[in-house]
Amino acid sequence: MKRGLLIFTGLIALSLFCITPAWAHFQMLYTPQSALERGGGMTLKLVFTHPFDAGHTMDMEPVQEFYVMHRRGEEGEPRKTDLKEYLKEINWTGRENSGKAFEAKLPSKIMRSMGDYIFIVVPGPYYEKADDEYIQQFTKMIVNVGGIPGNWHEPAGLPAEILPLDKPYANWTGGVFRGIVMSEGKPVPHADLEIEYLNYKPNMEKNAFEGEAEINASHPSFETMGIRANAQGEFAIGLPKAGWWGIAALGSGPVDQHNGKGLAQEAVLWIQVTDIP
């Protein structure tokens, strides 16, 4: 591990670099479990939201790309499967409103083998009136079947992406997750990142967040936490609580204009944390 690598082992350390809370946008690509014993059908929910407070749900723009990359083991090229045909428009309800989202009910043939499955969604740019600019997030979520690793650590070829240095689906509570922010295949020095916890349980049947918050933040800076990568684009975060965590690398994409206005292209990675039995 390089000396300049920033390691944050809990919520308090992560908050030292905080940015404006409660306004962090995250493209959610959600399924309840990312480490599966066997393959089969799977349902995914695609929601543009604020994970910690389950607040305003943004209307998703039409999906430009939605696919999965799969490879069993360490050799060979991953198989890429387009999944857009399985998308269905839904309304997702947060604590404040409902917004346009999507679900995908995947047949068992998509995940019939063991190994890693890298799910990727790229929606069209979303216009954020408050900032008078567009946002486009390249989101990855990785599922493993059977415990046999595959291509979880390899680039997916996105304009901007977070390259995991630890398995996103195999993290114990209290551990550390590391990654590298990439843009056009190269590390992004001193990249700005936001981290949020998925604080309300998604109800897959009702298409809504429900129940009480898992965490009651003692200060707004703990809701959306901010860190910076080192000079090699590397970062590390502590994992203090089981559940899903979203990591977004701000402005990491190569394109900064859309329809005559500013465009923020961001890389998003979702990781799942599990309590030690």
Side-chain angles (χ1 to χ4, degrees):
M1 185 179 297
K2 295 184 181 295
R3 187 178 299 274
L5 185 62
L6 302 177
I7 299 179
F8 299 89
T9 56
L11 286 168
I12 294 177
L14 279 166
S15 71
L16 293 176
F17 296 87
C18 66
I19 60 171
T20 304
W23 290 102
H25 300 65
F26 277 82
Q27 176 60 57
M28 190 170 77
L29 182 52
Y30 177 82
T31 192
Q33 182 56 251
S34 61
L36 306 175
E37 292 186 6
R38 58 183 62 86
M42 172 180 285
T43 299
L44 297 169
K45 303 292 183 176
L46 290 63
V47 185
F48 197 29
T49 186
H50 303 97
F52 189 87
D53 64 2
H56 182 70
T57 303
M58 284 75 68
D59 287 326
M60 282 186 63
E61 294 297 323
V63 174
Q64 294 181 348
E65 297 182 72
F66 179 46
Y67 58 92
V68 64
M69 300 175 69
H70 168 255
R71 191 181 71 201
R72 174 178 175 172
E74 298 296 328
E75 298 182 359
E77 291 295 321
R79 184 182 76 248
K80 180 177 178 180
T81 304
D82 193 301
L83 302 175
K84 287 183 68 175
E85 65 179 292
Y86 302 109
L87 286 175
K88 174 186 175 183
E89 186 176 318
I90 60 172
N91 283 319
W92 185 272
T93 302
R95 295 175 57 242
E96 296 179 0
N97 72 316
S98 295
K100 184 174 72 175
F102 293 90
E103 74 171 7
K105 293 186 176 181
L106 306 180
S108 59
K109 68 178 182 179
I110 301 297
M111 299 181 62
R112 60 190 176 193
S113 302
M114 292 187 286
D116 290 331
Y117 292 81
I118 302 178
F119 290 92
I120 293 170
V121 61
V122 181
Y126 169 83
Y127 179 64
E128 176 52 71
K129 294 181 180 179
D131 299 326
D132 192 28
E133 71 171 12
Y134 287 89
I135 302 170
Q136 184 177 39
Q137 294 189 333
F138 309 103
T139 299
K140 294 198 300 187
M141 187 273 295
I142 302 173
V143 173
N144 177 266
V145 175
I148 296 178
N151 52 318
W152 63 267
H153 58 287
E154 296 179 355
L158 293 166
E161 62 183 300
I162 296 174
L163 191 64
L165 293 176
D166 299 285
K167 294 176 183 176
Y169 49 81
N171 297 280
W172 292 123
T173 304
V176 172
F177 179 82
R178 303 166 301 145
I180 306 174
V181 180
M182 308 287 287
S183 180
E184 297 188 299
K186 298 180 180 180
V188 181
H190 310 295
D192 287 315
L193 297 105
E194 293 179 334
I195 301 96
E196 280 205 16
Y197 181 68
L198 187 57
N199 202 23
Y200 290 81
K201 183 179 179 180
N203 186 313
M204 299 289 281
E205 299 299 324
K206 296 181 180 179
N207 293 326
F209 292 118
E210 67 176 10
E212 299 297 323
E214 293 286 333
I215 299 172
N216 293 312
S218 59
H219 186 273
S221 62
F222 290 94
E223 298 180 12
T224 301
M225 298 166 290
I227 64 173
R228 287 175 64 85
N230 66 11
Q232 290 74 44
E234 301 167 336
F235 68 92
I237 61 173
L239 306 173
K241 188 171 178 60
W244 284 95
W245 292 81
I247 306 169
L250 308 182
S252 52
V255 180
D256 60 7
Q257 293 289 316
H258 180 72
N259 286 345
K261 296 184 180 295
L263 170 65
Q265 288 188 323
E266 303 172 351
V268 173
L269 176 68
W270 286 93
I271 65 173
Q272 191 169 28
V273 181
T274 303
D275 283 333
I276 298 175

